[in-house]
Every structure is written in structure tokens, then in C-alpha cells.
Amino acid sequence: MIPARYGASRFPGKLMQDLGGKPVIVRTYEATKETSLFDEVYVVTDSQIIYDEIELHGGKAIMSIKEHESGSDRIAEAVEHMDVDIVVNVQGDEPFTSKEGLEQVLKLFKGEDAKKIDLASLMTEINDWKEISDPNCVKVIVDKDNFAQYFSRSPIPYPRDKNAAVQYYKHKGIYAFRKQALLDFYKLPMRTLEAAEKIECIRYLEYGKNIKMAVTNVQGIEIDTPEDLVRANKALKEENKHTVNNKFRNFPMVPKVVFGQGSFDQLSSIIAPQRKDKAPFIFLVDDVFKGNKDLVDRITLRFNDKLLFVSADEEPKTEQVDQIVKDIKSEFNYKPSGIIGIGGGTILDLAKAVSIMLTNKGSAADYQGWDLVKNKAVYHVGIPTISGTGAEVSRTTVLTGPIKKLGINSDFTPFDQVILDPDLTKDVPRNQWFYTGMDCFIHCVESLNGTFLNAFSQSYGEKAYDLCMEIFLGKEITPEDSRGKLMMASWHGGMSIAYSQVGVAHAMSYGLSYVLGTKHGIGNCIVFDHLDEFYPEDVILFKKMVSEHQIDIPKGLCKDLTDTQMNTMIDIALSLVPLWENALGENWESIMTREKLRSLYLKM
Ligand code: NAD
Ligand code: ZN
């Protein structure tokens, strides 16, 4: 609950002041919501202006019925008839409300002495005497278990002995109440200590309630004065700089990898140390291997381990991920020890997504985007059986959701372990081998020709590119050699785009896939065949590879599209801004207009 009074005495209308393009109260609401710690977030206000503003931004607001003396009274009225356990009071004027602080207060309700707690709040260490003696700064003292003993505007304790080692704490205005405690407060009259200090929470102490404190060192910025607002606007600009600036990304890599023909047999011994008591391993295996004794018999299932065959006919969908997670949760009481994905990009992506969704609430669709995943995934292992996508190394799992095709790109996405056994790719049909292999070739072309290129991407991209030339145009390469090399090319290609981006072919192929269900590898080939304008030399090489290996590239896919379909395809492709920016530079919009895109699609 975010209590929001319009007429603050010191800085009237402060909650409606502009902070980086949005009112302060909207920022606070969004920051609170983004923590994902709450089932619901509401702004409770006396002001129609604030109410409308929150609704306008898609948030939830409640109008207070009565006049209230304090924020707690305001939220008490709002929750009186709601079915809630814990109510957290977030200050409307703290737009930088941090997740850490809120998480800390909430955690207290799960601690050993949780039963004793009526409400919980935060305090932060202060050491500067100027602040300690400032009456605007409310100090708090606690007992050995961190229950508050008193709050005051005076320095408490008084330092009669100047050498005594005492830590002063400042109280921070975040409270988490049990509902009853909050309602009690609402009905109890103010007593003298509260009246004298003008500190709300003293009332609880005066009526014998227990306030548990947690120490936090996160400093927010409260907006109390116009100067604070200037400071906050500056801080926001800094913050934006960091989120938009992808120049120095701190990139997780797959920490463990085994390579070599026959290395698949090490799977059991590799995962054994990760087994947790009664928690099963779940094997997601491409159903192309159903009845393939050579592979299936080499998977050792122990205790309640489970092998699920999954079709790779369609690319992974968020609802499919949700369903698998639901099935696993309903069958097992324990969170799995690990998820093992065995298959191509489709199965590897599913394995990554399922492992994430076993520890994160809601639908996989909620996490499509960059860095939205909150909790570490369960242990997950990737074992590719076809090479090219780089899904085995990447930080993303590409999913088609209800409104977009977009990866869950997060630090928790990459596999904890990968097993690269080139023998597993032996039976891949020739066309498919080529389509998926070309995904790798195209990753390299798009990365090496992109404006985001840097030495990191280049070093991986050039190696993978050379390997592709050897594999697809080399004269004297044995099948065995080719399989090992393509496996490593896929890996390097994946690493190359990790620190740069893909380009035109991928953006357009995503459009095809969204509207027509065209799969990634073949979709890339269909598109790339017509991109001589953007990648002239590489398209010539590509055509040579196609004819050398006598591959069929489907044609005429887009000629019968309806206007709606074509427009959706264009929308999906154009929404992939970083890809276009990498391919065509900052002014990409003037080059890749809707008309241009339409004419390209019509050729395909
Ligand atoms: P895939 O997993 O869809 O498999 C293609 C076909 O090959 C399927 O029919 C499959 O059953 C079959 N197959 C796989 N291994 C086989 C084997 N050993 N023998 C015989 N048949 C076999 O294809 P893919 O090209 O590897 O993956 C495409 C998917 O990868 C797409 O969903 C795409 O979005 C995704 N992708 C992900 C990333 C990433 O970084 N996460 C990158 C690129 C692509
Ligand atoms: Zn790709």
C-alpha cells in the first residue's frame, strides 16, 4: 500500500512533480511493482488527480473515504475489508524504493520469532553526529533481538561516555504490518509520547506491540524538498545511462563443459553430485529419439527420475513451458534436482525455460525480455543433438508467447553444464543439418558485419566463420571431423553474438516464425537468400553452399499473405530494435521502412 496525500505541507503537490517524464507517485508505484514481492500493489489517496494518474498508467488506486491523520490510518481504512496477511506501507515519496529493503522486512515474518512480531520496519546505521543530533532524523534503539525499544528525535542513547562504542540507527519509513496490528492502530487514540515526538510508530510501543527491526544499508532518496527532486532527477538519469548502456555487459558463461565422441556416457556421474535427496532429475528428450535404443538406453534413470519425450515440431511456447512446469509440480513434492535437455535448440530452450519457471512465480510470458528473472533457476544441463543455434551457450531461451516472440534473457538462463558429444548428431537429416548449421553461419555474418562488433565478438565470430567455410565448402573433410567442428562452430557463433547482436536475417526470420510458424533455421535460410543488398559476399557464399549440398530452400511463402498477416510480420520484425541498430546503425529506421520490409518479404 502506498499512501499518497496530495497536499504535503513542506512541498505541496510533490507526488505529482515530474521525475524523468513521469510523476513521482507513478515512479514509486512502478518501482514497488517491479520488485515482484507483492500479490497486489495499490496507491491509497485522497486526491482524484493522483487516482486518475495511477489508473492512466495501468496501476491500481483506491480513494480514501475519510480524512486521515497519517499514512497508516489511510491504508488501514483501505485494507479493513481485504483478505490479507501482511500489509506493507511504502512511502509515496520514495521513488527509488529498493527491492532489498522491502525483502528484508518481509523476511522477518519468516524468521524464528515471527509469531511475536506485530510489525516490522527498517533502520540504517548513521555515524555522523550532525545527523545523529538532527531532529528531522528519527533514531531508534533496539534490544538484543532487534525489537524496537524506543524511537526519538533526540540522540538515543545519550553519549555520556564519549568513548563507549555505540552504533546509532536512523529509522526508515517502511513498515510491514500484520493486518490486525494495522487495524488496532487505526482505532487506538494517540498517547503522550507520540504526541510529543510526532512519530507515528511510538503509538505501537505505547500500546505494547512488538516492532522488529532489520538493518539495511540501502539509501533511498526521499522527495521532501524541491532540491531532493533535482537530486532524484539526476540519479534517474545516471540509472538510465547504466541500463541503456550495454557497452560493458557482465556476461555469465557456461561454467562446465565436456567435449568429445562418447562423452555422453559421463552424464550419470556428472549429475550425481547434484542430486538432492528425493528430488528427481527430469530429462526432456527430443521425441525423435523415441525408440532409439542407442541413445535412450544410455540414460540411467534412478529413483523417481523422469524421462519426458517432447516434440520439436514446433518452436517452444510460453504456454508449453507453463504446462510442463505444472505437470512436474503436480507429480513431485520436491523441486527437481535438475533438468536435463537432450535435443536441438527447441529442446535446449525448453529445458532452460522450465528450469527457470520452477523457481519463479507466474507464467514464462512474464519473463520474456531482458533481466526480468528474479530467482536462480534449478540446476540445468544441455546436451545438443544437432549443431548450429548456439542455444547451448547462450544467455537466452527464445519463446513464442501470447503477444511476442522474445527470449528470456537473464543471468540465470545459461546451462550449468553442457555435454558436447558430436556423435549424437550422426543421424540428423541432411536438410535439417544444413538449416541449423546455417543458423551458425548467419550468426557469424551478422555479428561480424554489425555496428556493435568488438574484439570479443570478433574473435569468436571469425573462428566460427572459418569453421563453417571448412564444413560447408571444404573439400576434404570427413563426416566425423565435420560433426566435431560444427559443434564447436555453434558454440563460438553463440559466444560471438553474446557480446554483439544478430541482424537483418534474424529480425525478418522472427517475423516469419511468428506469423507462419516457420522454424528458426529454415526461416533464416529463406530470408538470407534474399539479403544480397546487406551482406553481398556472404549471400554469394551461402548460395554456393546451398547448391553444393543440394538443399531445398522453400520459396513463395509470403505471396498470399493477407494485409493483416503482412502487417503483423512487419511489426514483429521492426520491434527488434537492437538487431536493426546492430545491422544498419542508429539511423536504421530511415533505411528499413515498412515499405522496404514489405517488398523484401514479398520476394520470399
Ligand atoms: P530443433 O531443435 O527444432 O530440431 C530440428 C529438427 O531436428 C527436429 O525435427 C528434431 O527432432 C530433429 N533432430 C534434432 N536432433 C536430431 C538428431 N540427432 N537426429 C535426428 N533428428 C534430430 O532445431 P534447432 O535448429 O537446433 O533449433 C531451433 C530452435 O532453437 C528454435 O526454436 C530457435 O528459436 C532456437 N534458438 C535458440 C537460440 C538461443 O540462443 N537460445 C539461438 C538460436 C535458435
Ligand atoms: Zn539464430
Side-chain angles (χ1 to χ4, degrees):
M1 292 286 166
I2 310 173
R5 190 160 65 96
Y6 189 81
S9 51
R10 274 204 283 175
F11 184 3
K14 67 176 180 181
L15 296 180
M16 286 302 294
Q17 295 289 325
D18 181 81
L19 180 53
K22 290 178 187 172
V24 171
I25 187 67
V26 173
R27 292 264 170 210
T28 308
Y29 183 85
E30 289 178 352
T32 309
K33 193 112 197 175
E34 263 166 32
T35 64
S36 295
L37 292 171
F38 307 105
D39 296 316
E40 297 285 357
V41 179
Y42 292 96
V43 166
V44 192
T45 183
D46 60 350
S47 145
Q48 192 64 43
I49 301 173
I50 291 179
Y51 181 94
D52 292 345
E53 195 64 32
I54 294 295
E55 296 256 301
L56 181 76
H57 283 88
K60 292 185 178 168
I62 298 174
M63 279 301 274
S64 327
I65 302 162
K66 304 187 193 124
E67 279 289 308
H68 292 289
E69 283 193 12
S70 71
S72 313
D73 285 348
R74 200 177 293 289
I75 65 177
E77 179 203 289
V79 300
E80 193 164 9
H81 301 293
M82 282 187 190
D83 179 21
V84 288
D85 305 314
I86 311 272
V87 183
V88 178
N89 178 344
V90 174
Q91 303 291 323
D93 58 3
E94 285 228 22
F96 297 98
T97 292
S98 83
K99 179 167 179 176
E100 286 105 306
L102 293 168
E103 219 163 16
Q104 272 175 308
V105 257
L106 286 174
K107 239 200 234 145
L108 296 176
F109 289 91
K110 296 207 173 118
E112 275 170 24
D113 48 11
K115 284 216 178 80
K116 280 196 346 210
I117 302 175
D118 295 303
L119 66 149
S121 191
L122 286 180
M123 58 189 187
T124 184
E125 290 178 2
I126 45 172
N127 300 301
D128 178 357
W129 185 252
K130 216 173 116 209
E131 195 170 12
I132 296 168
S133 56
D134 178 358
N136 287 318
C137 162
V138 174
K139 273 72 63 180
V140 53
I141 45 174
V142 292
D143 69 9
K144 70 177 191 352
D145 298 320
N146 276 352
F147 280 96
Q149 295 195 298
Y150 192 59
F151 298 87
S152 180
R153 296 184 185 277
S154 304
I156 43 173
Y158 178 80
R160 165 73 195 267
D161 179 351
K162 295 277 182 281
N163 296 318
V166 49
Q167 177 64 57
Y168 284 88
Y169 290 101
K170 166 184 174 175
H171 179 219
K172 293 193 53 142
I174 287 178
Y175 300 95
F177 303 87
R178 289 196 188 281
K179 180 180 173 183
Q180 197 51 51
L182 183 61
L183 294 184
D184 289 352
F185 181 88
Y186 186 36
K187 289 177 189 132
L188 294 171
M190 191 188 294
R191 295 181 58 88
T192 49
L193 294 177
E194 181 189 353
E197 295 255 16
K198 294 247 176 312
I199 299 174
E200 267 183 62
C201 52
I202 292 180
R203 193 182 311 179
Y204 292 97
L205 296 177
E206 290 185 275
Y207 285 100
K209 300 255 184 229
N210 296 318
I211 308 181
K212 175 102 176 179
M213 306 296 293
V215 184
T216 173
N217 291 315
V218 189
Q219 294 285 0
I221 301 179
E222 281 169 47
I223 315 271
D224 273 335
T225 60
E227 294 75 54
D228 289 340
L229 191 67
V230 173
R231 232 162 28 104
N233 263 309
K234 250 201 198 138
L236 192 71
K237 266 209 192 112
E238 280 300 305
E239 208 173 83
N240 283 346
K241 240 195 245 158
H242 292 305
T243 50
V244 173
N245 181 352
N246 274 337
K247 232 164 138 189
F248 307 113
R249 285 155 61 197
N250 195 1
F251 190 75
M253 297 200 191
V254 172
K256 287 194 153 185
V257 53
V258 185
F259 175 85
Q261 283 172 269
S263 59
F264 182 62
D265 289 327
Q266 287 187 28
L267 176 59
S268 304
S269 60
I270 286 173
I271 63 176
Q274 305 292 337
R275 187 180 292 282
K276 292 198 198 92
D277 217 14
K278 294 177 188 145
F281 279 106
I282 312 286
F283 295 78
L284 301 179
V285 182
D286 190 320
D287 70 359
V288 78
F289 294 108
K290 223 182 218 171
N292 179 328
K293 291 196 144 304
D294 201 30
L295 184 116
V296 175
D297 289 358
R298 288 158 76 195
I299 302 174
T300 327
L301 299 180
R302 294 183 203 279
F303 311 111
N304 52 354
D305 289 352
K306 186 167 180 101
L307 191 156
L308 288 171
F309 284 113
V310 184
S311 161
D313 287 349
E314 285 183 5
E315 299 199 329
K317 298 197 171 53
T318 53
E319 48 184 295
Q320 184 186 9
V321 173
D322 295 344
Q323 188 59 47
I324 296 176
V325 170
K326 200 170 148 212
D327 292 348
I328 293 174
K329 282 188 174 162
S330 66
E331 182 167 349
F332 299 99
N333 293 328
Y334 296 87
K335 193 171 283 162
S337 293
I339 302 293
I340 323 290
I342 306 178
T346 299
I347 306 296
L348 295 181
D349 277 1
L350 270 176
K352 292 197 239 184
V354 167
S355 70
I356 288 171
M357 292 314 299
L358 281 165
T359 55
N360 287 279
K361 283 201 285 191
S363 160
D366 303 339
Y367 301 96
Q368 286 180 280
W370 274 264
D371 299 310
L372 302 174
V373 179
K374 304 293 184 286
N375 306 314
K376 195 170 179 296
V378 304
Y379 175 75
H380 48 304
V381 180
I383 308 178
T385 64
I386 179 171
S387 304
T389 63
E392 66 281 7
V393 272
S394 77
R395 187 182 181 268
T396 186
T397 155
V398 184
L399 300 175
T400 304
I403 44 172
K404 56 193 169 199
K405 178 174 174 183
L406 187 62
I408 299 182
N409 201 309
S410 82
D411 278 355
F412 305 123
T413 310
F415 287 111
D416 297 297
Q417 170 80 56
V418 169
I419 298 180
L420 296 177
D421 183 345
D423 275 359
L424 299 180
T425 65
K426 252 195 314 225
D427 301 326
V428 175
R430 197 169 45 101
N431 270 331
Q432 187 62 55
W433 161 79
F434 186 85
Y435 300 145
T436 301
M438 279 305 110
D439 191 20
C440 173
F441 178 68
I442 296 169
H443 289 164
C444 300
V445 171
E446 294 185 322
S447 165
L448 293 171
N449 291 288
T451 58
F452 294 180
L453 188 66
N454 52 61
F456 186 102
S457 299
Q458 192 173 3
S459 64
Y460 284 106
E462 283 176 351
K463 186 67 216 175
Y465 185 91
D466 292 348
L467 286 168
C468 287
M469 296 299 285
E470 241 187 286
I471 296 157
F472 295 101
L473 290 176
K475 292 289 171 237
E476 280 152 36
I477 189 161
T478 65
E480 204 177 289
D481 206 13
S482 167
R483 286 195 288 271
K485 285 188 165 154
L486 187 51
M487 209 155 234
M488 287 323 297
S490 171
W491 184 278
H492 281 74
M495 288 301 299
S496 179
I497 46 176
Y499 229 109
S500 59
Q501 250 309 343
V502 283
V504 182
H506 273 77
M508 293 190 64
S509 161
Y510 270 38
L512 279 186
S513 153
Y514 190 85
V515 175
L516 299 173
T518 316
K519 293 194 68 178
H520 188 73
I522 193 170
N524 279 353
C525 289
I526 293 168
V527 174
F528 198 70
D529 208 20
H530 298 278
L531 296 185
D532 38 313
E533 190 180 336
F534 304 100
Y535 308 109
E537 284 153 32
D538 293 308
V539 172
I540 294 173
L541 286 173
F542 171 80
K543 288 183 189 287
K544 210 164 146 198
M545 294 175 186
V546 172
S547 79
E548 200 121 309
H549 295 280
Q550 299 164 24
I551 302 297
D552 321 308
I553 307 285
K555 295 198 162 43
L557 267 80
C558 299
K559 65 178 192 323
D560 297 325
L561 289 184
T562 64
D563 276 355
T564 322
Q565 280 178 314
M566 179 58 92
N567 278 322
T568 310
M569 204 175 267
I570 293 171
D571 288 339
I572 293 283
L574 288 180
S575 72
L576 298 159
V577 175
L579 282 64
W580 294 110
E581 215 177 291
N582 176 46
L584 307 172
E586 271 179 29
N587 295 325
W588 65 271
E589 277 166 304
S590 60
I591 306 169
M592 194 48 71
T593 58
R594 293 185 78 85
E595 271 324 300
K596 175 80 193 166
L597 206 44
R598 185 188 314 273
S599 73
L600 279 170
Y601 272 130
L602 285 173
K603 287 195 206 168
M604 291 163 194

